[in-house]
Amino acid sequence: MTEVIRFIIGFFLVVGSFLTLVTAFGLIRLPDVYTRNHAASKSATLGVMCILLATFLFFYMEEGHFNSRLILGIIFIFITAPVAGHLISRAAYNSGVPLWEKSVRDDLKGKQKYEDRNM
Amino acid sequence: MKTNDVILQTVTTIVSFIIILFSIQLFFAGHYTPGGGFIGGLMTSGALVLLLLAYDIKTVRTILPIDYKLLTAIGLLLAVGTGAGALLFNVPFLTHAYDYFHLPLLGETSLHTAVIFDTGVYFVVIGITMTIIQTIGVSE
């Protein structure tokens, strides 16, 4: 039983660290702000959540300590990190950061002028 | 340009409750675990700053009609009052006392006068942080 739990904890830790590493590679290799933001807000969120879940399981199974702060932290990161990504992306678009030159479609282009007319 | 902040505002209404609950937990846990008045007060004012970011300063003032300078004064009064209260029992200034009480819901609990001092610290930290931020935010 305990070995199974340890295996699960180790699995979550490795997956979490791997996803965080993927985030770092995405930030380095992707071409523009929006794709980088996509990498950062998605995989980093899941990576941190996996690591927090592993920490919670470790303290609960090995020491019998139910740490509700970790649960709260998982929920909090799950709520806030995508919103932070959304806000950064929108701020970048509104201040005129260009898209990657190979982008094929920008549905917000006309909308931007429409909002400017109705300000 | 008038922007549409509905995502930020919806998330703020949920998240600020979590932050304030966590700050109260930090405040009360300060005696036995890491935490206390300072970090609890900072986190409460962090939740208020999040409200200020999502809404404007007038809306937040309508939601929470608190004069933060008065809050600072009340906090200082609580801290000094706790210290001066010790003089009534013929012991040195800032001597604290504690005892075990049987509360209706919580059961056997130890109540310590340091909590009142910590409440003072909590109020002062909230008051000063919010005064600084609102003063900077309002000035043109």
Side-chain angles (χ1 to χ4, degrees):
Chain A
M1 181 62 192
T2 326
E3 291 305 317
V4 175
I5 291 298
R6 280 183 190 156
F7 180 78
I8 293 172
I9 291 169
F11 172 76
F12 273 124
L13 271 182
V14 170
V15 166
S17 342
F18 175 72
L19 284 170
T20 320
L21 189 70
V22 165
T23 310
F25 276 119
L27 283 182
I28 295 168
R29 290 190 58 90
L30 287 174
D32 71 344
V33 174
Y34 308 102
T35 45
R36 279 179 191 162
N37 200 347
H38 170 78
S41 56
K42 266 185 159 168
S43 55
T45 310
L46 192 58
V48 173
M49 280 167 70
C50 279
I51 292 176
L52 283 179
L53 190 64
T55 318
F56 171 76
L57 282 177
F58 176 79
F59 281 110
Y60 187 54
M61 290 300 170
E62 301 282 325
E63 303 192 0
H65 173 58
F66 187 92
N67 197 338
S68 50
R69 291 184 189 193
L70 285 169
I71 301 284
L72 205 63
I74 293 172
I75 296 170
F76 191 82
I77 285 174
F78 187 61
I79 295 175
T80 52
V83 178
H86 157 77
L87 288 173
I88 292 169
S89 220
R90 199 180 64 166
Y93 192 86
N94 284 345
S95 54
V97 177
L99 273 69
W100 186 31
E101 64 268 15
K102 287 182 191 161
S103 306
V104 290
R105 188 167 166 178
D106 184 4
D107 280 345
L108 267 178
K109 208 173 223 167
K111 297 282 196 317
Q112 194 66 26
K113 285 185 189 125
Y114 177 77
E115 274 189 9
D116 279 342
R117 269 206 309 276
N118 288 353
M119 67 185 238
Chain B
M1 189 176 81
K2 188 166 163 41
T3 48
N4 186 2
D5 278 340
V6 71
I7 296 179
L8 177 62
Q9 288 175 352
T10 313
V11 165
T12 301
T13 48
I14 302 166
V15 157
S16 55
F17 279 109
I18 299 180
I19 302 174
I20 288 178
L21 270 181
F22 187 46
S23 74
I24 292 172
Q25 195 265 340
L26 273 179
F27 169 69
F28 280 115
H31 201 73
Y32 293 111
T33 52
F38 183 75
I39 193 74
L42 271 185
M43 195 163 266
T44 307
S45 44
L48 297 178
V49 169
L50 182 65
L51 280 176
L52 282 176
L53 280 176
Y55 301 91
D56 59 354
I57 205 162
K58 274 182 193 147
T59 319
V60 177
R61 204 170 277 163
T62 322
I63 300 169
L64 295 167
I66 301 171
D67 186 359
Y68 291 106
K69 291 192 272 304
L70 201 66
L71 198 68
T72 314
I74 292 172
L76 282 173
L77 206 66
L78 273 177
V80 173
T82 318
L87 296 175
L88 294 177
F89 301 97
N90 212 8
V91 282
F93 186 67
L94 276 177
T95 306
H96 287 289
Y98 72 98
D99 204 353
Y100 292 94
F101 294 97
H102 199 79
L103 298 179
L105 274 175
L106 301 168
E108 190 81 8
T109 321
S110 72
L111 294 182
H112 203 294
T113 51
V115 176
I116 307 173
F117 188 81
D118 226 19
T119 313
V121 175
Y122 183 74
F123 283 167
V124 168
V125 169
I126 295 177
I128 287 181
T129 317
M130 294 313 291
T131 310
I132 290 172
I133 287 169
Q134 286 193 343
T135 315
I136 295 172
V138 166
S139 69
E140 295 292 314

Tab-separated table of all heavy atoms in Angstrom, chain B residues 65-82 115-128:
chain	number	residue	atom	x	y	z
B	65	PRO	N	-16.906	50.890	3.496
B	65	PRO	CA	-16.735	52.299	3.890
B	65	PRO	C	-15.869	52.414	5.142
B	65	PRO	O	-16.346	52.732	6.223
B	65	PRO	CB	-18.163	52.782	4.124
B	65	PRO	CG	-18.933	51.556	4.440
B	65	PRO	CD	-18.235	50.383	3.843
B	66	ILE	N	-14.570	52.145	4.983
B	66	ILE	CA	-13.652	52.172	6.122
B	66	ILE	C	-12.710	53.356	5.944
B	66	ILE	O	-12.147	53.551	4.866
B	66	ILE	CB	-12.829	50.871	6.198
B	66	ILE	CG1	-13.758	49.670	6.329
B	66	ILE	CG2	-11.885	50.904	7.369
B	66	ILE	CD1	-13.043	48.358	6.192
B	67	ASP	N	-12.552	54.135	7.014
B	67	ASP	CA	-11.513	55.172	7.008
B	67	ASP	C	-10.233	54.518	7.525
B	67	ASP	O	-10.132	54.169	8.698
B	67	ASP	CB	-11.937	56.331	7.918
B	67	ASP	CG	-10.954	57.486	7.825
B	67	ASP	OD1	-9.971	57.346	7.084
B	67	ASP	OD2	-11.177	58.504	8.495
B	68	TYR	N	-9.273	54.325	6.599
B	68	TYR	CA	-8.111	53.524	6.982
B	68	TYR	C	-7.196	54.228	7.962
B	68	TYR	O	-6.485	53.586	8.724
B	68	TYR	CB	-7.357	53.090	5.730
B	68	TYR	CG	-8.134	52.083	4.928
B	68	TYR	CD1	-8.756	52.443	3.746
B	68	TYR	CD2	-8.292	50.789	5.388
B	68	TYR	CE1	-9.491	51.530	3.027
B	68	TYR	CE2	-9.028	49.876	4.683
B	68	TYR	CZ	-9.623	50.243	3.501
B	68	TYR	OH	-10.369	49.341	2.809
B	69	LYS	N	-7.224	55.574	7.968
B	69	LYS	CA	-6.421	56.278	8.967
B	69	LYS	C	-6.981	56.030	10.360
B	69	LYS	O	-6.236	55.829	11.317
B	69	LYS	CB	-6.393	57.768	8.634
B	69	LYS	CG	-5.601	58.062	7.379
B	69	LYS	CD	-5.328	59.517	7.190
B	69	LYS	CE	-6.426	60.225	6.446
B	69	LYS	NZ	-6.754	59.670	5.134
B	70	LEU	N	-8.331	55.976	10.431
B	70	LEU	CA	-8.973	55.668	11.708
B	70	LEU	C	-8.644	54.242	12.146
B	70	LEU	O	-8.434	53.962	13.330
B	70	LEU	CB	-10.482	55.839	11.556
B	70	LEU	CG	-11.275	56.052	12.839
B	70	LEU	CD1	-10.880	57.378	13.447
B	70	LEU	CD2	-12.753	56.032	12.535
B	71	LEU	N	-8.570	53.335	11.171
B	71	LEU	CA	-8.235	51.947	11.478
B	71	LEU	C	-6.834	51.849	12.075
B	71	LEU	O	-6.604	51.106	13.042
B	71	LEU	CB	-8.331	51.107	10.202
B	71	LEU	CG	-8.432	49.596	10.377
B	71	LEU	CD1	-9.750	49.251	11.008
B	71	LEU	CD2	-8.290	48.910	9.054
B	72	THR	N	-5.899	52.630	11.513
B	72	THR	CA	-4.546	52.664	12.069
B	72	THR	C	-4.566	53.145	13.513
B	72	THR	O	-3.913	52.562	14.388
B	72	THR	CB	-3.661	53.597	11.225
B	72	THR	OG1	-3.878	53.318	9.862
B	72	THR	CG2	-2.214	53.429	11.565
B	73	ALA	N	-5.367	54.195	13.762
B	73	ALA	CA	-5.430	54.735	15.125
B	73	ALA	C	-6.020	53.711	16.084
B	73	ALA	O	-5.512	53.532	17.199
B	73	ALA	CB	-6.272	56.004	15.114
B	74	ILE	N	-7.070	53.011	15.638
B	74	ILE	CA	-7.685	51.995	16.506
B	74	ILE	C	-6.686	50.883	16.814
B	74	ILE	O	-6.586	50.408	17.949
B	74	ILE	CB	-8.955	51.428	15.839
B	74	ILE	CG1	-10.037	52.489	15.777
B	74	ILE	CG2	-9.481	50.222	16.593
B	74	ILE	CD1	-11.236	52.074	14.960
B	75	GLY	N	-5.909	50.492	15.798
B	75	GLY	CA	-4.910	49.452	16.013
B	75	GLY	C	-3.865	49.864	17.024
B	75	GLY	O	-3.523	49.095	17.934
B	76	LEU	N	-3.368	51.102	16.888
B	76	LEU	CA	-2.375	51.584	17.852
B	76	LEU	C	-2.972	51.638	19.254
B	76	LEU	O	-2.311	51.273	20.235
B	76	LEU	CB	-1.885	52.976	17.441
B	76	LEU	CG	-0.873	52.999	16.319
B	76	LEU	CD1	-0.600	54.416	15.902
B	76	LEU	CD2	0.412	52.340	16.777
B	77	LEU	N	-4.245	52.065	19.333
B	77	LEU	CA	-4.905	52.153	20.637
B	77	LEU	C	-5.021	50.773	21.275
B	77	LEU	O	-4.791	50.608	22.478
B	77	LEU	CB	-6.294	52.766	20.438
B	77	LEU	CG	-6.889	53.498	21.626
B	77	LEU	CD1	-6.056	54.737	21.905
B	77	LEU	CD2	-8.317	53.883	21.323
B	78	LEU	N	-5.362	49.757	20.440
B	78	LEU	CA	-5.471	48.386	20.970
B	78	LEU	C	-4.128	47.909	21.509
B	78	LEU	O	-4.056	47.332	22.602
B	78	LEU	CB	-5.939	47.440	19.861
B	78	LEU	CG	-7.436	47.292	19.649
B	78	LEU	CD1	-7.685	46.373	18.475
B	78	LEU	CD2	-8.070	46.698	20.883
B	79	ALA	N	-3.061	48.175	20.741
B	79	ALA	CA	-1.748	47.694	21.158
B	79	ALA	C	-1.311	48.381	22.450
B	79	ALA	O	-0.861	47.720	23.405
B	79	ALA	CB	-0.734	47.936	20.044
B	80	VAL	N	-1.474	49.705	22.498
B	80	VAL	CA	-1.077	50.432	23.708
B	80	VAL	C	-1.970	50.042	24.877
B	80	VAL	O	-1.507	49.871	26.007
B	80	VAL	CB	-1.126	51.953	23.438
B	80	VAL	CG1	-0.878	52.723	24.706
B	80	VAL	CG2	-0.091	52.330	22.415
B	81	GLY	N	-3.285	49.852	24.585
B	81	GLY	CA	-4.206	49.472	25.648
B	81	GLY	C	-3.875	48.125	26.255
B	81	GLY	O	-3.978	47.932	27.462
B	82	THR	N	-3.450	47.174	25.394
B	82	THR	CA	-3.042	45.868	25.920
B	82	THR	C	-1.845	46.012	26.836
B	82	THR	O	-1.777	45.382	27.902
B	82	THR	CB	-2.684	44.919	24.770
B	82	THR	OG1	-3.631	45.068	23.751
B	82	THR	CG2	-2.649	43.493	25.241
B	115	VAL	N	-3.095	38.092	21.592
B	115	VAL	CA	-3.961	38.157	20.404
B	115	VAL	C	-4.502	39.568	20.219
B	115	VAL	O	-4.611	40.059	19.096
B	115	VAL	CB	-5.106	37.133	20.522
B	115	VAL	CG1	-6.057	37.265	19.358
B	115	VAL	CG2	-4.547	35.738	20.574
B	116	ILE	N	-4.827	40.231	21.349
B	116	ILE	CA	-5.346	41.603	21.240
B	116	ILE	C	-4.251	42.526	20.703
B	116	ILE	O	-4.491	43.367	19.831
B	116	ILE	CB	-5.854	42.087	22.609
B	116	ILE	CG1	-6.851	41.088	23.190
B	116	ILE	CG2	-6.517	43.437	22.480
B	116	ILE	CD1	-7.259	41.408	24.589
B	117	PHE	N	-3.029	42.320	21.196
B	117	PHE	CA	-1.890	43.084	20.679
B	117	PHE	C	-1.713	42.821	19.186
B	117	PHE	O	-1.495	43.746	18.393
B	117	PHE	CB	-0.632	42.671	21.446
B	117	PHE	CG	0.565	43.510	21.130
B	117	PHE	CD1	0.747	44.737	21.724
B	117	PHE	CD2	1.510	43.061	20.223
B	117	PHE	CE1	1.843	45.518	21.431
B	117	PHE	CE2	2.608	43.835	19.919
B	117	PHE	CZ	2.773	45.063	20.527
B	118	ASP	N	-1.865	41.547	18.799
B	118	ASP	CA	-1.704	41.171	17.399
B	118	ASP	C	-2.815	41.774	16.548
B	118	ASP	O	-2.580	42.142	15.396
B	118	ASP	CB	-1.723	39.653	17.283
B	118	ASP	CG	-0.621	39.154	16.398
B	118	ASP	OD1	0.329	39.911	16.191
B	118	ASP	OD2	-0.713	38.010	15.922
B	119	THR	N	-4.030	41.877	17.122
B	119	THR	CA	-5.122	42.542	16.401
B	119	THR	C	-4.751	43.985	16.116
B	119	THR	O	-5.040	44.513	15.035
B	119	THR	CB	-6.414	42.485	17.229
B	119	THR	OG1	-6.587	41.168	17.712
B	119	THR	CG2	-7.595	42.883	16.404
B	120	GLY	N	-4.100	44.617	17.108
B	120	GLY	CA	-3.622	45.978	16.881
B	120	GLY	C	-2.656	46.050	15.722
B	120	GLY	O	-2.781	46.909	14.835
B	121	VAL	N	-1.692	45.129	15.706
B	121	VAL	CA	-0.721	45.092	14.607
B	121	VAL	C	-1.437	44.885	13.277
B	121	VAL	O	-1.160	45.568	12.275
B	121	VAL	CB	0.308	43.964	14.842
B	121	VAL	CG1	1.243	43.843	13.658
B	121	VAL	CG2	1.091	44.210	16.094
B	122	TYR	N	-2.407	43.963	13.279
B	122	TYR	CA	-3.194	43.645	12.074
B	122	TYR	C	-3.878	44.893	11.528
B	122	TYR	O	-3.753	45.229	10.348
B	122	TYR	CB	-4.206	42.577	12.488
B	122	TYR	CG	-5.103	42.013	11.434
B	122	TYR	CD1	-4.616	41.115	10.493
B	122	TYR	CD2	-6.437	42.342	11.411
B	122	TYR	CE1	-5.452	40.567	9.552
B	122	TYR	CE2	-7.278	41.794	10.474
B	122	TYR	CZ	-6.773	40.909	9.539
B	122	TYR	OH	-7.609	40.378	8.608
B	123	PHE	N	-4.561	45.641	12.423
B	123	PHE	CA	-5.276	46.844	11.987
B	123	PHE	C	-4.304	47.894	11.465
B	123	PHE	O	-4.563	48.543	10.446
B	123	PHE	CB	-6.109	47.414	13.134
B	123	PHE	CG	-7.376	46.663	13.388
B	123	PHE	CD1	-8.107	46.870	14.539
B	123	PHE	CD2	-7.844	45.739	12.467
B	123	PHE	CE1	-9.278	46.174	14.773
B	123	PHE	CE2	-9.012	45.040	12.681
B	123	PHE	CZ	-9.720	45.262	13.846
B	124	VAL	N	-3.168	48.055	12.178
B	124	VAL	CA	-2.215	49.082	11.762
B	124	VAL	C	-1.646	48.754	10.387
B	124	VAL	O	-1.537	49.635	9.516
B	124	VAL	CB	-1.087	49.216	12.811
B	124	VAL	CG1	0.056	50.049	12.266
B	124	VAL	CG2	-1.608	49.847	14.065
B	125	VAL	N	-1.332	47.477	10.162
B	125	VAL	CA	-0.755	47.100	8.863
B	125	VAL	C	-1.763	47.323	7.738
B	125	VAL	O	-1.438	47.910	6.700
B	125	VAL	CB	-0.265	45.638	8.895
B	125	VAL	CG1	0.079	45.160	7.517
B	125	VAL	CG2	0.932	45.512	9.786
B	126	ILE	N	-3.027	46.896	7.958
B	126	ILE	CA	-4.051	47.140	6.928
B	126	ILE	C	-4.207	48.637	6.694
B	126	ILE	O	-4.206	49.112	5.551
B	126	ILE	CB	-5.410	46.550	7.352
B	126	ILE	CG1	-5.341	45.045	7.447
B	126	ILE	CG2	-6.487	46.912	6.346
B	126	ILE	CD1	-6.626	44.455	7.937
B	127	GLY	N	-4.322	49.391	7.786
B	127	GLY	CA	-4.562	50.825	7.660
B	127	GLY	C	-3.460	51.521	6.908
B	127	GLY	O	-3.717	52.300	5.981
B	128	ILE	N	-2.205	51.216	7.271
B	128	ILE	CA	-1.087	51.923	6.639
B	128	ILE	C	-0.962	51.527	5.182
B	128	ILE	O	-0.818	52.385	4.297
B	128	ILE	CB	0.211	51.655	7.428
B	128	ILE	CG1	0.164	52.420	8.734
B	128	ILE	CG2	1.418	52.082	6.616
B	128	ILE	CD1	1.371	52.266	9.562
